[in-house]
Amino acid sequence: MNRHLLPIILAATVLMACQPATDPTPAEPQVGPPDADEASLARAEAAIGELGMRLRAALQGRMQAEGPLGAIDFCTVQAPVIASEVMQAHGVRLGRTSERVRNPANAATEWQAAVLRDFAANVAAGEAPEAQRAVLRDGLPDGVALRFMRGIRVEAPCTLCHGREIDPGIAKAIAANYPDDAATGYREGELRGAFWVEVPAGIH
Ligand code: HEC
């Protein structure tokens, strides 16, 4: 990629780094669930919405202050801090995961891996990645009221850092932080991974 063009493209697009599509889809109507379940789902959706908003706002500030390559460092250092603040504010646990992670700390747990497999199968069958939603209410561990996941689609800008042809400068910066990076080789429109949220029982 052209060296002079790259920062401009990054500046325009990197605002979405760490910031998968989070347009808030209204909760699907549930048939007669207890109010507590509805409250848990609303809490899960709200937490995801706030995470997306705060990542975006913080990343914009970072871009203005330090330019595009600073965004990679931002993802490494600030994204987990923001996630933990949102977790505290909403009283939930949350994060992002994928079948191919960049940060091993984001590796899917067993339940997350099972949902990711479902999402991947649905997408392979022609469904949209961002339309994937899973609400788990049954058979949860003690103290967990609800688990929720939402699929993340690879948008064009994401391929700058997760795609097939990554600019050497960016690739180098990524490799320095993530020697085991498996989150490349994606094409636009593919399933990149998912948000997950775990709502504890008894906090309504
Ligand atoms: C500036 C480079 C950059 C861009 C652009 C970018 N990402 Fe990332 N992405 C990263 C880095 C760095 C991490 C590791 C963050 C961490 O340590 O938790 C990451 C992690 C992720 C994760 C968490 C799972 C994992 O692999 O560790 C998801 C999901 C993700 N990105 C999706 C996206 C999506 C969707 C887009 C486009 C909207 C995007 N990214 C754009 C650099 C980028």
Side-chain angles (χ1 to χ4, degrees), residues 14 16-20 71-72 75-76 96-98 100-103 106 152-153 155 157-158 160-162 178 183 192:
V14 85
M16 298 170 72
C18 322
Q19 161 56 24
I72 292 173
C75 292
T76 308
R96 295 176 306 168
T97 188
S98 174
R100 299 195 333 248
V101 290
R102 172 150 294 165
N103 184 343
N106 296 329
I152 300 169
R153 177 194 189 89
E155 312 284 345
C158 317
L160 282 170
C161 294
H162 295 293
Y178 305 95
R192 171 65 184 89

